[in-house]
Amino acid sequence: MSTPSEALPSAPPTALREIDDLPHPPGLPWIGNTLQIDKPHVHQQVEGWARRYGDFFTISIGGHRLLVIADHKAMGAVLRDRPEGFRRTPRFASIAREIGLGGGVFGAEGEVWKRQRRMVMAGFDPRHLRAYFASLVRCCDRLEGRWKKAAAADAAIDLQADLMRFTVDAISGLAFGADVNTLESDDDIIQRHLDKIFPAMFRRLFAPFPTWRWYRTRADRALDASVLKVNAAIDGFVAAARQRLDADPARRAAPANLLEAMIVAADDPGSGITDDEVSGNVMTMLLAGEDTTANTLAWAIWLLFTHPDALARARSEIDALGEPATWTHERLAAMHWLEACANETMRIKPVAPSLTLQCLRDTTVADIRVPADTLVFLAMRSDSLREAYFERAAAFAPERWLDPASGPDATSASRVSMPFGAGPRVCPGRHLAMLEMKMALATLIGRFEIEKVGTPGGGEPDERMSFAMGPSGLTMRLKPRRR
């Protein structure tokens, strides 16, 4: 276990600053900055304050003072000091429990998190991704079929909705061995219910009062119904996995997917894994796998469409890949330009541009004394958009991830841009997310001409936080590509 001095950079004691001495945006008595917060754009608002007040300042929301950190080195040190030094806030945990999200690795802390993390990481082992590759290709075939129908009808495609169908299908197959096939269905699909959960959680996290505990609005009742639907689907996944394990006991020695591995672990009397943790991790994988990857893909498609040279270079690389039937995991891994486009998208438009944690013990961050229980707001994107770290920081320039002469190389850039987090709690599904992004982009760019990607008003898409940060109202029109 690391000590505070090992985990976080500190200055000599005489140089330490106190949180009370830090600058802060002016607010109102008692409520501080609460009424100033623009919830859908809170990340941009805090980034603007960082440009005015510096890398370390405070804000006050709902009676709580938060230390804001906009320096990537300090943020990296905080993230490396999890779970011993920092954790998600108790408010996050209580709201997740109220909604019914169970005990998944995303919200777990301490020893519970360590136990679950080992199990989940094993499920996302690259060997499992290779074994599942053919099923991912089938998901891409279904995505292509859905978009062919839209192109034939000259219909506008709700970009995020279709991409969320794709990511739900992908994670369900890999993690649960379930072929839910939302891409070819317009029935009461699970994705429609998943879409309600993260936005509701985000609203409640920023709500000044927990009104849902006293009065259930129509939206609250709709959320309850959706959670019931999702949990019923999860019960079905678990029952089907247990049936497979019972029918073929040899699978217990070599589980074929994450859910089977979790069930085997839960059935071991000494594992400590509970049925609630199994169900909670299924929910976690569905939610995280759907929302974050789909929004990143939507941003990538918009950025490529608005940068024709980058799009043309991506198309050349994709054409060399050949027909989907010939795709392999290794050939996708060698698509360096497409990966650079994804990395550049995540630098400019990270779906997690901020993170709020609670300090668990007295420590220091940079030269600031941080008492236990302090809430810390990490402005994760701030340094990624600064000229000090990226030349032409506001520009979409994927080549910066390939050519060290044009900017930081991928290794140094990744220490500034942290779209998957950092430290022990780095996203376990990051390799799957990158593979999904490459495959979806290869399907789109290789099979279609993109006629238009845009918003109803025709301007740049609005960045809107709804737990994850996504583009607002993007639609796409396609026509089949002739070669």
Side-chain angles (χ1 to χ4, degrees):
M1 180 182 297
S2 59
T3 65
S5 61
E6 291 172 333
L8 301 174
S10 60
T14 55
L16 290 181
R17 292 185 287 169
E18 302 296 335
I19 288 180
D20 288 342
D21 298 331
L22 297 178
H24 55 84
L28 296 173
W30 304 108
I31 62 174
N33 307 109
T34 302
L35 298 182
Q36 298 168 259
I37 296 298
D38 178 10
K39 287 184 286 188
H41 306 100
V42 62
H43 62 295
Q44 293 172 310
Q45 192 172 26
V46 172
E47 288 167 0
W49 281 333
R51 289 190 290 272
R52 180 174 181 180
Y53 297 107
D55 288 339
F56 303 94
F57 60 97
T58 64
I59 57 176
S60 177
I61 303 176
H64 298 284
R65 182 177 60 179
L66 286 77
L67 168 63
V68 179
I69 302 174
D71 173 77
H72 72 275
K73 293 180 181 178
M75 287 188 286
V78 167
L79 294 174
R80 288 192 297 274
D81 196 24
R82 297 177 72 193
E84 285 84 5
F86 292 85
R87 69 177 180 188
R88 294 189 184 276
T89 66
R91 182 178 178 86
F92 176 94
S94 66
I95 289 174
R97 284 194 302 270
E98 286 178 340
I99 288 175
L101 299 191
V105 69
F106 185 72
E109 296 292 346
E111 292 302 317
V112 174
W113 169 79
K114 290 179 181 179
R115 183 174 65 242
Q116 293 189 39
R117 174 74 174 187
R118 288 190 293 269
M119 176 178 64
V120 170
M121 287 298 289
F124 285 109
D125 186 281
R127 291 173 297 176
H128 289 168
L129 295 185
R130 291 187 183 90
Y132 181 61
F133 189 82
S135 296
L136 279 175
V137 172
R138 185 167 64 248
C139 288
C140 289
D141 289 341
R142 291 171 177 172
L143 182 63
E144 179 181 356
R146 185 176 183 85
W147 283 348
K148 277 184 176 178
K149 290 179 181 178
D154 192 26
I157 295 166
D158 183 337
L159 191 52
Q160 285 152 288
D162 274 13
L163 292 171
M164 285 179 180
R165 289 172 182 259
F166 169 73
T167 53
V168 165
D169 286 2
I171 194 65
S172 297
L174 172 67
F176 319 131
D179 186 11
V180 299
N181 194 11
T182 66
L183 284 164
E184 294 181 332
S185 172
D186 287 315
D187 296 332
D188 189 24
I189 58 174
I190 190 174
Q191 179 253 329
R192 293 177 182 169
H193 300 291
L194 289 168
D195 286 353
K196 293 182 175 67
I197 296 175
F198 268 167
M201 192 166 184
F202 181 74
R203 288 193 301 271
R204 292 183 180 186
L205 282 168
F206 278 89
F209 303 104
T211 56
W212 61 90
R213 295 174 185 167
W214 311 318
Y215 174 73
R216 310 294 287 179
T217 66
R218 182 177 180 181
D220 292 327
R221 294 192 297 272
L223 171 65
D224 292 342
S226 287
V227 171
L228 285 173
K229 288 275 190 179
V230 175
N231 280 329
I234 289 171
D235 290 343
F237 293 157
V238 173
R242 283 198 174 278
Q243 192 172 42
R244 291 193 299 269
L245 290 168
D246 291 342
D248 181 11
R251 294 176 79 104
R252 288 187 170 271
N257 54 60
L258 175 60
L259 178 53
E260 291 180 10
M262 288 192 293
I263 291 172
V264 170
D267 289 347
D268 183 345
S271 73
I273 302 294
T274 66
D275 289 344
D276 180 63
E277 289 172 354
V278 171
S279 297
N281 276 297
V282 175
M283 177 74 86
T284 293
M285 297 307 152
L286 283 171
L287 287 169
E290 176 220 33
D291 208 41
T292 55
T293 306
N295 278 313
T296 301
L297 271 168
W299 281 120
I301 291 168
W302 177 73
L303 286 166
L304 283 166
F305 177 74
T306 54
H307 293 82
D309 290 345
L311 178 61
R313 184 168 173 179
R315 174 160 286 155
S316 296
E317 186 177 65
I318 291 164
D319 286 347
L321 187 63
E323 295 297 317
T326 68
W327 292 0
T328 65
H329 186 275
E330 289 71 24
R331 294 182 71 186
L332 263 294
M335 300 185 73
H336 301 303
W337 178 253
L338 213 55
E339 184 163 330
C341 291
N343 282 324
E344 184 70 343
T345 296
M346 292 186 288
R347 179 186 71 83
I348 298 173
K349 303 291 187 182
V351 296
S354 63
L355 178 64
T356 303
L357 301 172
Q358 182 185 43
C359 182
L360 294 177
R361 63 192 175 199
D362 292 347
T363 188
T364 60
V365 176
D367 64 343
I368 300 166
R369 195 191 316 273
V370 182
D373 297 328
T374 299
L375 298 181
V376 178
F377 185 104
L378 306 182
M380 299 292 294
R381 182 174 63 172
S382 288
D383 277 358
S384 294
L385 298 181
R386 291 180 178 175
E387 295 289 330
Y389 303 105
F390 295 94
E391 184 180 350
R392 298 181 301 120
F396 179 70
E399 62 273 10
R400 75 173 83 245
W401 295 89
L402 303 177
D403 182 7
S406 67
D409 63 23
T411 301
S412 62
S414 67
R415 290 198 291 266
V416 178
S417 173
M418 296 177 279
F420 295 112
R425 295 197 67 147
V426 67
C427 175
R430 61 196 183 279
H431 298 301
L432 173 62
M434 186 62 76
L435 184 59
E436 285 180 284
M437 285 189 277
K438 285 184 176 182
M439 295 181 77
L441 290 172
T443 300
L444 170 64
I445 298 168
R447 298 291 172 265
F448 299 94
E449 296 289 349
I450 307 175
E451 289 194 316
K452 183 179 180 182
V453 179
T455 62
E460 182 171 335
D462 184 28
E463 293 184 359
R464 293 187 70 83
M465 284 295 295
S466 184
F467 203 84
M469 189 274 283
S472 179
L474 271 186
T475 60
M476 177 173 67
R477 288 186 180 273
L478 302 175
K479 62 181 180 181
R481 185 180 172 202
R482 295 178 180 176
R483 292 200 270 176

